[in-house]
Amino acid sequence: MHVVATAGHVDHGKSTLVRALTGMEPDRLEEERRRGLTIELGYAWTALPSGERLAFVDVPGHERFLATMLAGVGSAPAVMFVVAADEGWMPQSEEHLTAVEALGVRHGLLVVTRADLADPAPAMETARARLAAGGLAGVEALAVSGRTGQGLDELRGALDRLVAGLPAPDPEAPVRLWIDRAFSVHGSGTVVTGTLPEGRIAAGDELELPGGPVRVRALESLKEPLPAVTGVARVALNLRGRAVPERGQALVTPGAWTVTDLVDVRLSPVGADGRGAGPGGPGRGLDVPGGRGAAEGREGPGAPVDRLPARLTAHIGSAAVVCSVRPLGGRVVRLRLARPLPLHVGDVLLLRDPGRERGEVRVLAGASVLDVRPPSVSRRGAARERAAELAGAVPGAAALLRTHRLLRAGELRAMGCPPADEPVCGDWHADPEHWSRLVARLPEAVRRYAAGHPLEPGMPVEAARHALGLPDRRLVAALVRPPLSVADGRISGGRPALPAPVARAVARLGTELSARPFLAPEAGRLAELGLGPRELAAAVAAGALLRVADGIVLLPGADVRAARVLARLPQPFTVSQARQALGTSRRVAVPLLEHLDRRGLTERDGDHRRCRLPAPGTAPPNHRKSGQTSHSRTSPY
């Protein structure tokens, strides 16, 4: 299916033309039919000569219903622009073109109606020039009469050619269905309708509304019940859930959009007096960055927008939301929306001033969304810096990471910019320059911590996370580069230097152990020497002592020396034989032998052990049996 919206001045025959093409009545309300004036959005559909199905969204042309017109055009990929031959280009023709232009619609068809009442050539010539200046250059143009049927067959062929050239929608895209009607059906419950631009909705799907989750009970497209629908399509959904839908809200894929009331945008140019202009004027030739058919990131012609009112109405899809405007510099503006909307980077909002005088063009600008989670600009000069940062930015993951530095993959997707590069850790993505700065800062942070905490074996990972302002402990471990290392939840940078008092206490302990190297002193003697728990931890971290078990320390290399002594015993040997050979107590012998087991220097067999010294000139083994642990175990935390 394809969807095309109408556009044009009031009473130029839009509804008459849709009625003639489809055989259906687009004006749903009795008042509309009585007055001959479209007030609400109308829907009709037909089969084209190729067999393609085409749905029309018929919009009102009167200036009082501009918001309704925008709700109809907002989700349509193409427009059928209607101009009457007997009246030519009119004020609402200009305003509708400005809206179509600002929204970035670049596919369309010009239809000059009432060709039976006047020569269509003058109106067609003027309208062609206006559309060309408004971003619709080269569109096919036809003269028709909805009353007599003149040119309708040619129009059907032109519509076939138009839809054949439309870009293919992505069926895997996240759903965002702007609701243009919400009503209750007896026996079924809540029903909403809208234009699905891309993505897929199926019966049973769970979607999100501002009021909470809802489930799709059933769906129709062009009044046909279907199990699933893929965009582009007109759809009606029967919903079940606590949330009460309203026109202007959006049904979205959960977690796939950023619901926000604050956005930074780049404006399309407007005239010096704040209104659109005719051909060649300052408001024409708008290039909406990020809009449909617009080149991403291009600035386009026009002077900076510096005369926007402080309060405007922002339109997207069927939503119309009042917003406050804060110029940041040049064409970059911050909008504060009166209610949150589900948005992506690259979305285009249309800004209008509903308070302007009658007859003035009230559509002021298109606003391409650059950031849906903009940073604070409260400090002096921050707004100017932010504007400079965004002035030439190409919307995408790289630009978002330059601003936010670190974002999860899910956050980037919800902002509309799926990551293109590999994550730095887990699902975290980082701006490359910021990540390099963090790698450079970590060693200095570890050094400062060691200077302030000389008795600790390293900087806790959590302390490093706070020092670097990181949101996740895993990121700290990912920043570690040699000679830094992570073990037991701490980051160390090689052998730290011991404070002088601790070094002297270790030297005294070394003197005592020189006579009986395997008789570790008890806790009381260690305390007398000045080696409490913190001092012992510092000495072990510095490599000045060997921790065999809690409260049992020997000189470095004592375990290898013990293995050599035990290798001279008859194999296998008992704990008692080992204790006697080493000249130590059972308090020390048992944990020392367990330490030797973990290092692979001895091997236990029931109540006996065998010595397994490596060949001369090789390093001692360091394998552990299943279920055993080691004090040298490393961890990313």
Side-chain angles (χ1 to χ4, degrees), residues 44-45 52 65 88 100 114-115 168 171 177 220 244 247 301 309 318 344 356-357 362 374 489 499 555 602-603:
W45 52 91
E52 293 284 345
F65 307 116
V100 166
R114 301 183 189 169
L177 179 75
E220 292 183 355
V244 179
R247 176 171 168 169
S318 60
H344 275 171
R356 284 181 171 266
E357 298 295 330
R362 294 166 293 166
L555 293 179
T602 57
E603 184 176 41

Side-chain angles (χ1 to χ4, degrees), residues 451-476:
H453 307 80
L455 296 180
E456 293 192 21
M459 185 179 193
V461 169
E462 185 64 15
R465 186 184 74 81
H466 281 287
L468 299 179
L470 297 174
D472 192 326
R473 291 165 59 96
R474 294 176 298 171
L475 292 167
V476 179

Side-chain angles (χ1 to χ4, degrees), residues 39 41 137 157 164 246 261 263 288 290 326 391-392 466 490 634:
I39 298 172
L41 298 176
E246 299 176 3
D261 62 357
V263 290
V288 182
R326 179 183 178 182
H466 281 287
R490 291 180 180 267
T634 60

Side-chain angles (χ1 to χ4, degrees), residues 517-531:
F518 308 114
L519 186 59
E522 296 187 358
R525 178 54 185 160
L526 290 173
E528 292 174 1
L529 292 171
L531 293 172

Side-chain angles (χ1 to χ4, degrees), residues 186-561:
H186 181 71
S188 296
T190 301
V191 175
V192 300
T193 68
T195 300
L196 178 66
E198 57 184 352
R200 181 179 185 274
I201 300 178
D205 283 355
E206 184 174 285
L207 300 173
E208 285 282 345
L209 278 172
V214 293
R215 190 168 296 280
V216 179
R217 297 178 61 186
L219 58 89
E220 292 183 355
S221 182
L222 308 186
K223 293 194 175 181
E224 294 182 12
L226 295 170
V229 171
T230 301
V232 176
R234 284 293 305 174
V235 295
L237 307 179
N238 181 201
L239 303 178
R240 177 171 52 206
R242 294 180 178 273
V244 179
E246 299 176 3
R247 176 171 168 169
Q249 295 179 341
L251 279 162
V252 299
T253 301
W257 300 83
T258 299
V259 180
T260 179
D261 62 357
L262 188 69
V263 290
D264 284 348
V265 302
R266 183 192 290 122
L267 300 183
S268 59
V270 295
D273 62 351
R275 46 179 296 191
R284 284 286 157 247
L286 298 182
D287 184 4
V288 182
R292 289 170 289 185
E296 216 176 44
R298 289 173 52 193
E299 287 290 333
V305 179
D306 56 2
R307 295 190 181 183
L308 284 177
R311 291 179 68 80
L312 293 171
T313 300
H315 296 261
I316 182 171
S318 60
V321 180
V322 174
C323 63
S324 59
V325 180
R326 179 183 178 182
L328 300 182
R331 287 165 48 200
V332 178
V333 169
R334 178 159 293 184
L335 303 179
R336 172 73 71 176
L337 305 172
R339 65 178 172 91
L341 296 175
L343 297 175
H344 275 171
V345 169
D347 280 339
V348 177
L349 306 174
L350 186 144
L351 303 181
R352 73 182 185 102
D353 183 0
R356 284 181 171 266
E357 298 295 330
R358 289 173 60 88
E360 286 193 353
V361 177
R362 294 166 293 166
V363 174
L364 299 184
S368 178
V369 177
L370 301 177
D371 198 341
V372 291
R373 285 174 41 185
S376 171
V377 288
S378 56
R379 64 176 178 80
R380 186 178 182 87
R384 184 171 59 253
E385 293 173 7
R386 178 67 172 156
E389 176 188 354
L390 294 177
V394 177
L400 289 174
L401 287 170
R402 278 194 295 274
T403 296
H404 299 279
R405 299 183 175 181
L406 289 162
L407 290 170
R408 292 180 182 272
E411 292 174 310
L412 284 166
R413 284 191 288 269
M415 297 167 85
C417 301
D421 298 325
E422 292 297 315
V424 294
C425 172
D427 62 344
W428 285 101
H429 292 260
D431 172 59
E433 291 186 10
H434 177 62
W435 190 251
S436 296
R437 289 193 295 269
L438 289 173
V439 170
R441 286 174 55 195
L442 182 58
E444 177 59 21
V446 173
R447 186 197 64 77
R448 287 198 305 269
Y449 189 89
H453 307 80
L455 296 180
E456 293 192 21
M459 185 179 193
V461 169
E462 185 64 15
R465 186 184 74 81
H466 281 287
L468 299 179
L470 297 174
D472 192 326
R473 291 165 59 96
R474 294 176 298 171
L475 292 167
V476 179
L479 289 169
V480 173
R481 306 286 187 274
L484 298 184
S485 61
V486 185
D488 298 323
R490 291 180 180 267
I491 306 170
S492 58
R495 300 295 189 185
L498 286 175
V502 179
R504 287 194 294 269
V506 169
R508 289 194 296 270
L509 175 59
T511 301
E512 294 185 6
L513 287 173
S514 60
R516 302 187 68 178
F518 308 114
L519 186 59
E522 296 187 358
R525 178 54 185 160
L526 290 173
E528 292 174 1
L529 292 171
L531 293 172
R534 295 181 62 200
E535 289 79 8
L536 286 174
V540 170
L545 291 176
L546 169 69
R547 187 195 301 274
V548 174
D550 288 342
I552 298 177
V553 292
L554 299 172
L555 293 179
D559 47 0
V560 177
R561 293 175 61 190

